Each structure stands twice: as C-alpha cells, then as structure tokens.
C-alpha cells in the first residue's frame, strides 16, 4: 500500500541551479527564466520529475540554469532527444527550449514531427528574429529586407511564422506570449504545462545586442493595446486602448472594425480555442502588425488528441496482453527447429 | 513417390545451389525455402542472397537479376561456397550473369521461356546459347519451359495468366528439391501459413511445387539424385538464423536480462531496416521501436532514451551513420551508454546499397569532430550477431559509453544454423543506477557529482526521476566531477584524455586475441567482420597443405586486444584480407608499426575461399 505524502512546498528559488546565468545584460531570456521558475512550483510535480532539453543558441543555455534534470543537446535536435526520453518515460514532464534559428531552421524537421505526433512535450520557442549566439545573422523569422552581417543588402528570404508552422502541423496546443508581459507569460507557460500533448509556445523575446527593439510595437506601453490582441476563449476579438476595436470576418479575411456605429460585439469573431478545425487558429496566426492587424497573444488552440507517448506504450500493453510477457525461451524455440544428437 | 525410371543416388559431402532470375521471380523466396529445408534436414548451411537495389528493374535485363546461393554440407562450413554445383536460371539475363560461377560439370537448369529474340537481346546474347551444344559440353544441361509447365500445373484453379506465372518459382524449387532429395513438408507448411487466406494461390503454389518435384522424378534425362548427409554439428537444438534477426534477438535478450526496456530509434535504410522490422514484432518484450523522421532524430532520440535510463539502440548503414556523426559526439561527451549499429554496404554516398562492403571501419573510428573515441565491435557471422551485440551492451554499460557495432550486408542477409542457447547461460549485464543522496540541508553536505568516476573511469548513470540527483549534461565541455560547463584549458585536456583512457581501458576487460592454429609461424591471417568464414576455411585449407599459417579473427577493433601486437610479432608475415582498400591494415600499421600486407577486394561481393588460398600461397612464396 502506498501512502501519498504531501509534496514539499517548493519556491521559485528551489528551481534555480547553482550556475551563474550568462546571458547578456538586458536579454529577454532572463524574464522567461524567471517566469518559468515561478510557474514550476505551481505544477504539483517534484523537481526530479521535470526535464529541460534544449538545442543550441542563447536560449538553449536554459537547462543549465534550472535545478531540474536537463540536457543541452545539439543544433535543432532537442525535440528528437525529448522524444526518446518521453517515449521511455511518460511519467516525466519534458520541456523543450529552443529559439527561432534552432527550432525553425536547423531543427525545423524535428519540430514539425514532434508536433504532428502529439508527443506530450512543452516546446517554448524564444523568437528574437535574429541569430544571437553566432553574433547577428538573419534568422528564419527575420523580416524580408533585414540587413545583417550575412545580408548586407537585406535578406531576400521570406520569413517563417512559428505559429503558422505549428498549426500547419496540427499542433494541439498553440500559444504566444511576450517576454516583458510577465503575468501573461507565466499564465501561458502554466497552460502549456497543463496541456496533454504537444504544447507549442512562441515567446516574443528581445535580443538587445543584435536585434534590439524587434518587438517594440508589441511591448511599448503606448502602442501595445493597439498592436496586440489578448485572446480569451469564448470571447469576441476586441482590442485597443479603449477596447473599441474588433476583428470581424469578411468572407475568409479578418477585418479590423470600429465598434459602435452599427457594429456590435456580436458581429465580431469569437475565439474558440477548442475548435476541432484549425483554420481559424491559422487565420489568427496570420494576423501581422505590418499588415495592419493587432497580433494575437494567448492561447490560439487547445484541443485534446491521443498522445504519442501514451499510444506507443499502449501498444506494448496490448501486445503483452495478446502474447503474454516476452519469454526468451519461447521466442528462441518457436517455429522450425531441429535436434542434433 | 513412385519412380517411373530407374534413378541413381549419389552421396555428396556438400553442394552449392544458386537460384537466379528476375527480381520479382521469387528467387529470394526459393532460396530461403531451400535453406530452411536443408537446415531442417540436418545440414550445415550458409547462404548468400544477392539482389539489385531497384525493387523492379526492367524485366529481363541484367540490372534486374536477383540471386540466392545456398551452400549445404555434412561438414562444418563457414561460407556460402565459391563455385556453384547447380544453377537454376530463369531467363537469359540470369544465365549470362551467373554462368561464370557454375563449375565445370555442374548442373544447369534453364527456363527456356524468354529465350526469344527480345530476351536474348536484353541479356546481351548475340545468339541463343541454348543452341549449338556448347553448354552441353561443359555442363549437365536441363532445359524446359517452366512457364508453360507451371501454367499446365495450375490449370483449372481459376488463376489469371499473371498469377499462374508467378508460381513458377515453386516449380523450380520442386525440381531442385527432388534433385537433392529434400522433403516438401516444410515448404507445404510455409505455403499454408503464408497463403492460407488465399486458398486458390496456396493450391496453385502447392501444385507448381509438386509438378516440379514430379518432373524430376518422372522425366527422362534426370537420372541422378544427390544426397548430402546430416552435418556433425555440436549436439543441441538448432534453428536457421539470418544476421539481422540474430542481432535483433540478441538485443531483446540483452534488454530482458538486464531488466531494461529496449528503445530502438531508427530510420529505414538498406540493409539495416530488417532490425527495425524484427524488433517491431516483439513489443511484448517491452520493446519500443521509434521510426524517426531522419537519421539525426534516430540517433538523438536514442540519446534521449539513454538519458532516460533504458537500453538505447540506433541502427543504420554508412550514409545514415554519416548523418548521425554529430549526435554520436554528443553521446560521447555526455557519456551515456548506447549502441550504434552500422550494417555496412557499398559506398561512398549511396554506393551499392544492396551489396556488401567493409569500408566504414575508419568512418566509425574517426568520423566525428574532435577527439571522440568510441569502442568498436564487429560480428563475424549471422549467428555471431546474437552474442556480439550482447557484449556491446556490456561494454556500453560498464564503461558508460556509446559503442559502435559493425556488421555488413553479407552477414545481415546471410543465414546459418544457430544453436539455441539456454537462457540461463546468457550473460547478465548488471546495471547500476545511483540511489538518491541522503537528504541534508547542510551547506557542506556531499553533492551529487555526475562526472565522478569509478575504477573503469565510468561516470554514474543517474536517471531523471531520481530525487536529489538533478543534474544537467550536454555538448559543452564538462568540468571534471561536477559536470558543469567549463572552458578551462587544463580541464579540457584532462577530460579529453580521460575519455580516451576510458575507452582504451576496455582492453583490460576483453579476452586476449585467440588464434586458430599454432601461435607462431610463417603467416598470420588477420580478419574482421564478414570475411571470417572465407578466411577460416582458407587457412584450414592452407594448413592442410602443410603451410605454417594461422588465423586471428578480431571481434574487438577499438580497443584492440592487449596481446595483438605481440601475437603479430610471432609470425614472419601478416596478411589482412578486407572488403575495402585496407582500413584495418592502416590501423594495425599505425598502432603496431607492423608491415601488414593487404588483400583487398571492393566489388560488392564477399571473398571466395579459393582467392584467399591463392593469396596465402603467393605471400608465402614471395
């Protein structure tokens, strides 16, 4: 008989490792680390059950700073490392920490496949739209025309949009937050942790050395009410300092409308994060500041689907039920054999 | 069976048969059935399947010829045979490509269908080789239109012409079964199991098989049946085993006996895919098979599984191993136990995907960035895969290191009798995971040191989920003991040397190199991997001729056994036959400054015994 002992009460400090944090002063990563440490004690898990896996890049130093189990792996491969771990050990809570270069460029393939399998991982992609650790080349999320060391005449690549990619791969949980919006960020990470299946979170994160101010429009207290839109399940899409603007659907196109003068809340698009159909979530992921839209933050999509780590272990159970627990003697002696005297 | 004509029976010690035809003609199936039947009849067997990379090359062309060779014997044998005693050729292309291997006086069975203008042209024949009597001068030739005979045999079963024609491999099998007096029973059981759900196909195959058998029994011109007596193998219960299957079973056994779940992360690639296929069948042994999105995910998911504390394995072939390189470096620096299997094939790049080669030795030794040593073990034969892979797991666990395991296409697809072991005799690998540390809030209390080392220089394998042992590992250089990231120059050199010393120290835990024959003499033949059988047979033959030749076959390629240098020193000459341009020879020369002589063949084909005997004589005479 087992006795459920109460979990020790943990504090954010219990999740701090003894290592000096070595990000550049002013880096957005500090805030994400702080919010992660704040969320950890609320998960109801002992810290030995939590594992952080990262790839390469500034963000990927993250596991060293968490007093949990962790692995700083290789470029872009964190989702694959995490897949092996989680497949064997569904009891662990596994976080993947990645950046826009790590996750979408060199590791784009693994990211897509972890998501489509619905492996129970929490993937946090720090998006600063630049390569920080290699000192300032453009990244897969850099806007076209971006001038960097490797693109002195401006980037001619079209950018990827992380949430569109995730939704395209049928992610069951997709959210966005902003490094400086700490309350929102903590809530978003908590929701991701609670989700069963792949949770994909994009965090707008500032690189103050190589791409300072990339997200200023979404962070500046004077503009953010007009440039971002906080999603709430079941609520209409309303934004603006005076909450007087909304998003209406015009055919298949979202349209910014002014409330009043004949347009009521009921005319607006209502957010349904649980919609089985991902098209509206995809449409939201395509609303961009440069196209005149507010950029949604919060949970775009949260649906339940079977998880890979459950299913692969269920198959083992099923096979064991059908054939009994594997017996070597039986295996060796089954089929055609012969005796030599 | 009734014998209409007086037939004679001739006793043989051994025989080699080859079936060849179009890929799609069912030659691999015919060969496999003949092998199993011969094994069940008590012969020692060795096989060599040889097939094109194309699933269906254009019909009738030389590119599409698929062959399967079986050597069966009343003696201990180690190879599928140099020359062929009986050749079954299903079309002109199969005849022209395989005839050079048929020995003078051998039996040639030809399906005359397709020996028309088009078929002969496709094969590159200027005239019909079946006409003019040239073949009859050299061989015992039997010609028949198997396609027509098969159609007649299955007539009335309601099959389409295409379906009927697909049965002709069973006709060919039946004929060869009669020739070597083999029982039809195992194949009848096979047909029942395989085609039971399609009764008309099952009936047709049975009809074709029996028609072939009766053809031999009744038709004039077939005067002799050949008998190969049971082999005098060590007593025990046997089954026939292919290399990849033996490897998979060895993995299952090792996991079970070390109380671990088995995780295989793999991406399909010839000739390694069958390991994935075989393991996927054994989920009730707590086997998790993960078909990854690519080779990089295959190796990194395996690293994740090793971190999780399970038996973690990845399997691929040369081009896939190339992609795994960076991941293997991570496995080396994180010092996690796992196995990376390389079923070698012809290279470079895509090379000859279905043909055998031994040319990845230097790749697995050195194909990673930085000073990145990994132990390397190689299997010598299909059944040896079972034992050698368990040894690889022991080394991985005892030394906390990824281990490279080498086989090749020849071993992977070849088969031989496997003496079924007693489970109680199999090695048990003891896996230790550190227990939680005593709880203490004291500042000076001992802390868990993930890079502390035992007497074998292995670090502790602490698994996530264990309280108080939380730690971080990764690809950046580790500080000794703590495992914290460290750029300290002296520490880096210390860690590089420690990892190298750990791998070198494995030599203390493996057997000294054994030698077949006297432990000194004129010539030592050193082999590794697939050429084991050809080298062993060749050296036995040379010894019987009175030469002072011995044979050392290496299972351990990194580190080498401790006595290897001294052993080589006791022979006047050292010969190293390899299916590459001299990779082991390069290592032996650099490690021991020995003037080893190479015998190298890189044709996608294994060595024939005869060519090694010739080389031995040449080296001894020089």
């Amino acid at each position: 008989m087992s006795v459920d002992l109460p979990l020790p009460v943990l504090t954010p400090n219990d999740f701090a490792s003894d290592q000096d944090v070595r990000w550049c002063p002013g880096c957005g990563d500090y805030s994400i680390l702080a919010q992660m440490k704040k969320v950890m004690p609320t998960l109801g898990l002992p810290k030995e059950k939590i594992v952080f896996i990262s790839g390469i890049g500034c963000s990927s130093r993250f596991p060293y700073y968490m007093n949990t189990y962790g692995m700083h792996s290789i470029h872009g491969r964190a989702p694959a490392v995490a897949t092996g771990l989680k497949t064997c050990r569904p009891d662990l809570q596994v976080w993947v920490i990645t950046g826009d270069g790590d996750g979408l460029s060199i590791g784009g393939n693994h990211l897509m496949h972890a998501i489509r399998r619905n492996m129970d991982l929490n993937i946090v992609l720090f998006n600063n739209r630049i390569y920080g650790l290699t000192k300032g080349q453009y990244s897969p999320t850099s806007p076209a025309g971006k001038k960097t060391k490797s693109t002195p005449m401006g980037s001619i690549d079209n950018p990827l949009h992380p949430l569109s990619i995730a939704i395209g791969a049928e992610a069951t949980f997709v959210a966005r937050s902003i490094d400086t919006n700490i309350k929102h960020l903590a809530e978003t990470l908590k929701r991701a942790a609670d989700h069963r299946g792949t949770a994909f979170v994009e965090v707008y994160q500032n690189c103050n050395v190589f791409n300072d101010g990339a997200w200023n429009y979404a962070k500046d207290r004077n503009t953010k009410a007009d440039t971002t839109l906080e999603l709430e399940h079941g609520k209409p899409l309303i934004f603006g300092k005076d909450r007087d603007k909304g998003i209406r659907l015009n055919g298949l196109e979202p349209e910014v409308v002014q409330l009043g003068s004949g347009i009521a809340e009921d005319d607006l698009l209502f957010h349904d994060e649980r919609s089985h159909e991902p098209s509206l979530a995809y449409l939201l992921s395509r609303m961009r500041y440069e196209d005149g839209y507010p950029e949604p933050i919060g949970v775009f999509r949260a649906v339940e689907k079977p998880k890979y780590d459950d299913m692969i272990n269920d198959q083992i159970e099923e096979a064991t039920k059908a054939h009994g627990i594997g017996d070597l003697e039986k295996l060796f002696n089954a089929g055609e054999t012969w005796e030599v005297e | 069976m009734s014998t209409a004509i007086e037939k004679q029976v001739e006793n043989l010690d051994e025989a080699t048969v080859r079936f060849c035809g179009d890929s799609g003609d069912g030659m691999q199936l015919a060969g496999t059935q003949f092998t199993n039947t011969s094994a069940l009849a008590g012969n020692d067997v060795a096989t060599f399947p040889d097939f094109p990379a194309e699933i269906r090359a254009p019909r009738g062309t030389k590119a599409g010829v698929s062959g399967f060779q079986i050597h069966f014997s009343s003696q201990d044998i180690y190879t599928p045979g140099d020359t062929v005693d009986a050749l079954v050729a299903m079309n002109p292309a199969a005849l022209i490509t395989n005839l050079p291997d048929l020995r003078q006086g051998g039996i040639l069975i030809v399906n005359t269908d397709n020996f028309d203008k088009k078929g002969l042209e496709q094969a590159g024949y200027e005239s019909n080789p079946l006409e003019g009597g040239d073949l009859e001068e050299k061989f015992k030739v039997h010609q028949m239109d198997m396609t027509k005979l098969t159609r007649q045999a299955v007539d009335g079963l309601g099959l389409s012409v295409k379906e009927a024609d697909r049965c002709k491999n069973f006709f060919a099998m039946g004929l060869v079964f009669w020739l070597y007096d083999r029982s039809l029973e195992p194949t009848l059981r096979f047909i029942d199991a395989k085609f039971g759900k399609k009764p008309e196909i099952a009936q047709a195959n049975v009809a074709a098989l029996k028609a072939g058998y009766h053809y031999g029994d009744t038709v004039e011109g077939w005067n002799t049946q050949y008998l190969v007596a049971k082999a005098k193998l060590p007593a025990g219960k046997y089954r026939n085993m292919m290399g990849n299957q033996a490897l998979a079973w060895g993995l299952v056994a090792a996991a079970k006996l070390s109380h671990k779940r088995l995780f295989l992360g793999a991406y399909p690639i010839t000739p390694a895919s069958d390991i994935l296929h075989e393991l996927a069948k054994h989920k009730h042994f707590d086997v998790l098979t993960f078909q990854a999105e690519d080779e990089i995910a295959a190796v990194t998911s395996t690293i994740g599984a090793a971190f999780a504390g399970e038996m973690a394995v990845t399997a691929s072939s040369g081009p896939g191993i190339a992609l795994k390189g960076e991941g293997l470096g991570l496995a080396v620096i994180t010092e996690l136990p796992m196995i990376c299997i390389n079923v070698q094939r012809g290279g470079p790049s895509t090379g000859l995907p279905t043909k055998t080669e031994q040319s990845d030795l230097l790749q697995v030794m050195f194909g990673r960035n930085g000073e990145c040593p990994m132990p390397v073990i190689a299997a010598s034969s299909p059944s040896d895969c079972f034992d050698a892979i368990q040894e690889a797991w022991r080394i991985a666990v005892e030394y906390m290191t990824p281990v490279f395991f080498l086989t090749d296409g020849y071993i992977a697809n070849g088969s031989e009798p496997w003496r079924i072991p007693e489970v109680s005799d199999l090695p048990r690998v003891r896996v230790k995971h550190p227990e939680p540390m005593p709880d203490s809030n004291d500042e000076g209390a001992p802390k868990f040191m993930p890079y502390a080392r035992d007497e074998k220089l292995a670090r502790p394998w602490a698994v996530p989920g264990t309280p108080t042992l939380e730690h971080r590992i990764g690809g950046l250089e580790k500080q000794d003991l703590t495992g914290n990231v460290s750029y300290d120059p002296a520490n880096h050199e210390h860690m590089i040397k420690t990892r190298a010393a750990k791998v070198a120290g494995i030599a203390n835990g493996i057997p000294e190199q054994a030698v077949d024959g006297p432990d000194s003499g004129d010539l030592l033949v050193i082999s590794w991997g697939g050429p084991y059988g050809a080298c062993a047979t060749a050296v036995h033959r040379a010894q019987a001729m009175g030469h002072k030749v011995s044979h050392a076959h290496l299972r351990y390629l990194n580190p080498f056994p401790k006595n290897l240098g001294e052993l080589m020193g006791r022979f006047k000459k050292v010969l190293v036959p390899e299916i590459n341009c001299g990779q082991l020879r390069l290592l032996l020369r650099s490690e021991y400054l020995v003037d080893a002589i190479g015998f190298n063949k890189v044709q996608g084909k294994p060595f024939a015994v005869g060519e090694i005997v010739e080389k031995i004589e040449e080296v001894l005479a020089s």
Side-chain angles (χ1 to χ4, degrees), chain B residues 80-93:
Chain B
D82 287 8
T83 56
V84 173
D85 299 308
L87 179 70
V88 180
M90 301 298 278
N91 66 10

Side-chain angles (χ1 to χ4, degrees), chain A residues 120-170:
Chain A
D120 190 10
L121 303 173
N122 307 310
I123 304 173
V124 186
L125 184 142
F126 298 15
N127 185 3
N128 57 18
R129 314 188 87 173
I130 201 79
Y131 282 1
L133 199 69
T134 51
K135 299 191 176 175
Q137 300 83 2
Y138 76 113
S139 91
T141 58
S142 296
K146 176 81 178 170
K147 286 190 176 174
T148 70
K149 278 178 193 155
S150 59
T151 52
M153 294 171 70
S155 157
I156 52 174
D157 292 18
N158 289 314
L160 284 176
H161 296 88
L163 296 190
S164 299
I165 299 282
I167 294 163
E170 314 259 335

Side-chain angles (χ1 to χ4, degrees), chain B residues 222-486:
Chain B
W222 294 80
N223 302 325
T224 313
Q225 263 185 306
Y226 300 94
L227 290 190
V228 175
K230 285 183 181 190
K232 296 156 208 77
L233 296 171
K237 195 172 177 189
Y238 284 80
R239 66 179 305 135
N240 198 36
M241 275 288 246
M242 285 173 73
N244 275 343
Q245 186 188 11
L247 193 51
W249 287 21
L251 289 168
V252 168
K256 176 103 183 164
L257 296 173
S258 51
H259 306 288
K260 286 286 162 201
R261 308 185 86 191
L262 175 61
F263 176 92
L264 177 82
Y267 188 76
I269 184 168
T270 302
S273 299
D274 280 339
I275 299 169
L276 169 63
H277 304 161
E278 181 63 27
L279 286 176
K281 288 187 213 161
H282 301 295
K283 291 185 194 295
H284 59 302
F285 279 89
D286 225 353
V287 172
L288 297 149
T289 51
F290 173 64
Q291 183 176 316
E293 55 271 20
D294 61 23
E295 296 284 0
I296 304 176
V299 69
T300 47
S301 64
T302 303
I303 294 170
F307 187 44
E310 302 300 354
M311 181 176 175
V313 182
T314 186
S316 188
S317 239
I321 300 294
L323 284 167
K324 290 180 196 288
E326 189 192 10
L328 290 168
L330 179 67
V332 167
I333 198 168
T334 53
E335 301 191 45
L336 287 167
M338 52 181 267
I339 299 173
C340 181
I341 297 163
N342 180 353
V343 187
Q344 300 164 94
R345 65 187 216 187
S349 187
T350 313
L352 305 176
T354 59
K355 309 290 178 190
T356 202
E357 209 161 283
Q358 282 188 285
S359 50
D360 295 346
L361 177 58
L362 297 181
Q363 178 191 32
V364 306
M365 283 290 294
F366 305 118
R368 296 169 295 283
N369 68 298
E371 295 288 346
C372 195
M374 272 175 73
V376 181
I377 288 185
S380 59
S381 73
S383 68
D384 184 53
C385 288
F386 179 80
D387 299 317
I389 196 72
Q390 295 181 73
E391 174 68 348
W393 176 234
R394 176 188 72 82
I395 289 172
V397 169
E398 281 183 20
Y399 294 87
M400 285 292 284
T401 175
V403 174
F404 248 118
F405 188 87
L406 292 175
T407 77
D408 55 51
Y410 171 72
I411 294 176
N413 292 323
S415 64
E416 63 181 353
W418 177 60
R419 189 150 74 110
I420 299 171
E422 290 295 331
V423 173
S424 55
D425 292 342
L426 296 177
R428 263 73 178 163
V429 174
R430 254 193 69 216
V431 182
K432 291 175 293 183
H433 295 298
E435 300 286 322
M437 304 281 285
D439 201 18
S440 172
N441 292 319
D442 184 4
E443 276 291 302
K447 272 178 145 181
F448 174 61
M449 292 291 165
Y451 277 75
R453 291 176 191 281
D454 67 9
E455 69 285 354
K456 289 176 176 153
L457 299 178
R459 72 176 194 88
W461 190 10
V463 298
T466 319
T468 74
L469 304 185
E470 290 86 356
H471 67 284
R472 274 69 55 195
I473 55 177
L476 288 173
E477 184 60 283
K478 299 285 158 273
Q479 188 181 50
D480 197 16
L481 298 172
T482 66
N484 291 332
V485 174
S486 168

Side-chain angles (χ1 to χ4, degrees), chain B residues 11-15 43 71-75 77 227-229 232:
Chain B
N11 289 298
L12 300 173
D13 283 343
E14 58 177 355
N43 294 140
H71 181 196
F72 52 105
S73 173
S74 58
Q75 319 280 332
I77 50 165
L227 290 190
V228 175
K232 296 156 208 77

